[in-house]
């Protein structure tokens, strides 16, 4: 479509551990803000839009709500967002979703251990091998590393749901009611959205899926088409 893209890795997710004890979390908006500021300084007149997926979508929506009308974007899209982190953590600990949780926790433990093989680990980090769930990981790693009292405070302060009313730029939220990583109770109601925010719910789509088509060998990537359609009709053309 003739657009340029910039992909942002969260701290420690690029294949190389970051050099500070802190890393990233679901409510960390400072790094994304720094990236947007850098792009704005380089090209102050170029229209900018952002697309956030899953946890990145939570960060994007929270940042948009924090800034309100000061957000330096023309449009935004968020997909399969864990609007209520406590709800997501509870849901991922149920049924078949626990298989995804196990894989995710193993990856988190491996990543954080690689970091602290290079720098001194905080004395209260504890034994990483005993952590089996996302809540245990957040209680013992995420919360203390980032200044939260515990996992509950981290979830409460970092969930994007409470920020949705403050969003002031055109924003599309795409979500599926069969998302296996959160329950229907996590989906915001209409009265929780600002007038510039549109929530589109699909019965199917899973978590970041939304693949359609009549034949398995001929998939139609509905998600990418819907995102590009929204951005193409929303972005202002350069002067």
């Amino acid at each position: 479509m003739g657009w340029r893209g910039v992909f942002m890795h969260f701290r420690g997710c690029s294949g190389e551990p970051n050099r500070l004890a802190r890393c990233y979390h679901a409510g960390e908006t400072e790094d994304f803000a720094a990236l947007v500021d850098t792009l704005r300084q380089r090209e102050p007149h170029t229209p900018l839009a952002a697309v956030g997926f899953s946890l990145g979508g939570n960060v994007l929506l929270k940042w948009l709500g924090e800034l309100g009308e000061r957000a330096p974007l023309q449009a935004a899209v968020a997909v399969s967002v864990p609007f209520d982190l406590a709800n997501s953590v509870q849901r991922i600990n149920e049924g078949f979703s626990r298989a995804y949780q196990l894989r995710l926790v193993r990856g988190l433990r491996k990543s954080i251990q690689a970091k602290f093989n290079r720098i001194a680990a905080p004395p209260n980090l504890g034994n990483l091998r005993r952590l089996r769930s996302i809540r245990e990981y957040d209680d013992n790693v995420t919360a203390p590393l980032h200044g939260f009292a515990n996992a509950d405070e981290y979830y409460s302060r970092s969930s994007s749901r409470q920020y949705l009313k403050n969003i002031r730029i055109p924003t599309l939220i795409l979500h599926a009611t069969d998302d296996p990583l959160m329950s229907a109770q996590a989906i915001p109601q209409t009265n929780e959205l600002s007038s510039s925010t549109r929530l589109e719910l699909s019965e199917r789509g899973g978590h970041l899926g939304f693949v359609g088509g009549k034949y398995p060998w001929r998939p139609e990537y509905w998600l990418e088409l819907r995102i590009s359609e929204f951005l193409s009709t929303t972005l202002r053309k350069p002067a």
Side-chain angles (χ1 to χ4, degrees):
M1 298 188 71
W3 299 341
R4 289 174 291 162
V6 176
F7 185 90
M8 174 182 165
H9 287 290
F10 286 123
R11 295 186 185 217
C13 295
S14 65
E16 179 181 352
N18 65 296
R19 293 170 289 180
L20 300 178
R22 60 170 290 192
C23 43
Y24 75 96
H25 62 79
E28 171 57 67
T29 57
E30 294 179 5
D31 288 349
F32 179 67
L35 172 62
V36 174
D37 287 345
T38 298
L39 297 176
R40 268 277 162 257
Q41 291 171 15
R42 290 180 181 176
E43 301 186 31
H45 304 297
T46 299
L48 288 182
V51 183
F53 298 91
S54 192
L55 186 146
N58 189 78
V59 171
L60 173 59
L61 294 178
K62 180 174 179 283
W63 176 79
L64 290 172
E66 289 172 342
L67 292 185
E69 60 186 15
R70 296 181 292 113
L73 299 179
Q74 275 66 57
V77 182
V79 186
S80 298
V81 175
F83 307 99
D84 183 332
L85 296 172
N87 176 282
S88 295
V89 168
Q90 179 180 344
R91 178 64 183 86
I92 202 174
N93 199 38
E94 301 171 353
F96 186 74
S97 296
R98 287 180 293 180
Y100 182 81
Q101 174 178 240
L102 179 60
R103 181 179 178 87
L104 183 58
V105 171
R106 284 175 176 171
L108 289 169
R109 290 196 322 236
K110 182 179 179 181
S111 176
I112 205 71
Q113 188 62 65
K115 174 202 288 284
F116 292 122
N117 286 338
R118 302 175 64 170
I119 64 175
N124 61 343
L125 191 62
N127 182 8
L128 294 174
R129 293 183 180 180
R130 66 181 175 84
L131 305 180
R132 292 290 183 270
S133 70
I134 297 296
R135 175 173 281 276
E136 288 179 350
Y137 182 88
D138 288 336
D139 226 5
N140 289 273
V141 180
T142 309
L145 279 184
H146 300 95
F148 300 103
N150 49 42
D152 287 329
E153 183 188 16
Y154 162 51
Y155 299 150
S156 175
R157 291 173 54 186
S158 300
S159 295
S160 62
R161 188 170 185 170
Q162 60 196 311
Y163 293 90
L164 299 178
K165 270 194 171 182
N166 299 326
I167 296 176
R168 293 294 179 268
I169 70 163
T171 300
L172 174 66
I173 301 175
L174 301 174
H175 196 79
T177 56
D178 69 343
D179 192 316
L181 302 188
M182 61 202 84
S183 71
Q185 286 71 36
I187 302 173
Q189 300 299 308
T190 302
N191 61 2
E192 297 179 76
L193 305 175
S194 70
S195 59
S196 62
T197 305
R198 178 184 177 89
L199 172 62
E200 294 184 359
L201 289 175
S202 301
E203 290 186 9
R204 298 194 177 187
H207 190 71
L208 302 176
F210 304 97
V211 181
K214 293 183 178 180
Y215 308 105
W217 57 88
R218 192 179 297 171
E220 297 175 3
Y221 295 101
W222 177 87
L223 179 61
E224 287 74 10
L225 294 174
R226 181 67 187 103
I227 292 173
S228 59
E229 178 187 52
F230 174 78
L231 294 181
S232 65
T233 57
T234 306
L235 283 176
R236 294 197 304 264
K237 295 182 179 180

